[in-house]
Amino acid sequence: MIIVCKSCHASFLVPSSLFRGGAHLVRCGKCGQVWREFQSAKAAAQHAAPPFSPPAPPSSMAKEPVLSADAAIVETSETKRLSFTDVKAMASRFLKTALFVLGGLLVLSTFLFLSGHQYIAKTWPLTQTAYHAIGLSSSPAQNERLVLQNISSERRYEDGAMQLIVQGEIKNVSKKPQGLPDLNVDAMGPDERIIQSWRIKPSPATLEVDSVLPFTSAILSPEGTVVEVNLSFVETPHDQP
C-alpha cells in the first residue's frame, strides 16, 4: 500500500495489513508531518484477494521516490504519541482547572476574612487597621465614641512667665459610658514642624453618655513660636467600646 505525505507529497510503501484494524497515525519520514491514514478501498480489496505483490518500479522510472516501509513511522494504538495539539489541549485544561481552584480559594478566604472580622481582629490586633480601612471593625474607633470640641489656645503672661494655654471639651457621643484616654498635644511652628508635645490626662477616667468634660492644660515658656495646636486621643490596645 502506497501512502502520500499530506505536506511534502513524499510517497511511502507500507504493508496494508497495518491498517486492518482501522485508521492509524502516520509520521512522514522526510518532513515529520503527522496525519491519520485510512486503508483505501483498493488496498482493502487487494488484501481480501489472494496475496499478490507487484514488483516495485525502478527508481529511474518513478516520478517520486518510493521509500521503504521503515521510512514511515506508523503509530498503532499501543504506541500512539501525543501531538503538539494534544499537549496544548491538555495544558489548557490544566490551566483552567488551576484558575478555577485558585478563584474558589480566593473567594472562600475573602468570605472568612469578612464574616469573621470580629474574631480575627480580637485574636490578631494588627488586622484592626485593615478592617478600619474597609469600614469594618470589632469596635468603634476612638474618634467615633469621643469627640473633641471648642478647642482654643492662647499665649499669656502669668507670674512674669510666658505660658501656652490649651483648653477645650471632650464629649461622649456613643450610647455607653466611655473610658477617657490621654490626649496628645502637638504645638506646631510656622514651618508646620512640631515644636513641643505633651499629654493631658483627663479626670475623671470615665465619661457618661452625652456628657461633656472641659479640660485645660498649660506649659511654661514654649520652645518657639507656636502658630497651631493639634490634639488627638492616644489609642491603646486596651480601649473598650
Side-chain angles (χ1 to χ4, degrees):
M1 174 179 173
I2 298 177
I3 61 176
V4 180
C5 176
K6 310 297 183 182
S7 178
C8 67
H9 305 292
S11 301
F12 301 93
L13 179 64
V14 297
S16 59
S17 60
L18 292 176
F19 299 91
R20 186 182 305 173
H24 290 287
L25 291 178
V26 180
R27 179 181 287 110
C28 176
K30 184 177 180 181
C31 69
Q33 174 70 19
V34 177
W35 73 95
R36 185 175 294 276
E37 183 69 32
F38 295 85
Q39 186 180 29
S40 64
K42 181 178 180 181
Q46 290 178 349
H47 186 74
F52 174 75
S53 300
S59 58
S60 59
M61 298 176 61
K63 294 181 180 181
E64 295 184 89
V66 178
L67 304 182
S68 61
D70 57 0
I73 302 175
V74 179
E75 295 180 335
T76 63
S77 58
E78 292 79 15
T79 61
K80 183 178 179 180
R81 300 178 183 177
L82 293 176
S83 65
F84 175 76
T85 303
D86 296 331
V87 175
K88 184 178 180 180
M90 291 177 62
S92 178
R93 289 194 296 269
F94 175 79
L95 181 60
K96 290 180 179 179
T97 302
L99 291 176
F100 178 79
V101 173
L102 291 177
L105 291 176
L106 179 61
V107 172
L108 178 61
S109 300
T110 303
F111 173 77
L112 294 176
F113 182 77
L114 297 178
S115 62
H117 69 277
Q118 293 185 351
Y119 172 78
I120 296 175
K122 183 178 179 181
T123 306
W124 295 285
L126 292 178
T127 61
Q128 292 182 4
T129 302
Y131 283 124
H132 287 160
I134 61 176
L136 292 177
S137 176
S138 58
S139 62
Q142 189 70 63
N143 58 4
E144 296 175 355
R145 307 191 305 262
L146 300 171
V147 295
L148 295 169
Q149 60 186 23
N150 301 325
I151 305 300
S152 64
S153 63
E154 62 175 329
R155 297 164 60 94
R156 71 171 70 152
Y157 280 98
E158 288 191 6
D159 299 328
M162 174 64 72
Q163 292 187 359
L164 175 63
I165 301 174
V166 178
Q167 55 189 5
E169 296 174 343
I170 303 174
K171 182 177 180 179
N172 182 2
V173 295
S174 70
K175 298 180 180 181
K176 296 181 180 180
Q178 298 294 329
L180 293 176
D182 294 349
L183 289 175
N184 185 74
V185 184
D186 292 329
M188 314 293 292
D191 54 359
E192 298 184 353
R193 291 191 306 171
I194 298 176
I195 296 175
Q196 197 167 350
S197 297
W198 70 96
R199 287 192 178 187
I200 301 175
K201 293 184 178 296
S203 181
T206 302
L207 190 61
E208 298 298 325
V209 177
D210 289 331
S211 297
V212 175
L213 175 67
F215 65 87
T216 301
S217 179
I219 58 172
L220 293 173
S221 303
E223 298 177 358
T225 301
V226 177
V227 297
E228 183 181 357
V229 175
N230 293 332
L231 284 83
S232 61
F233 293 108
V234 178
E235 298 281 354
T236 66
H238 303 291
D239 287 338
Q240 297 295 327

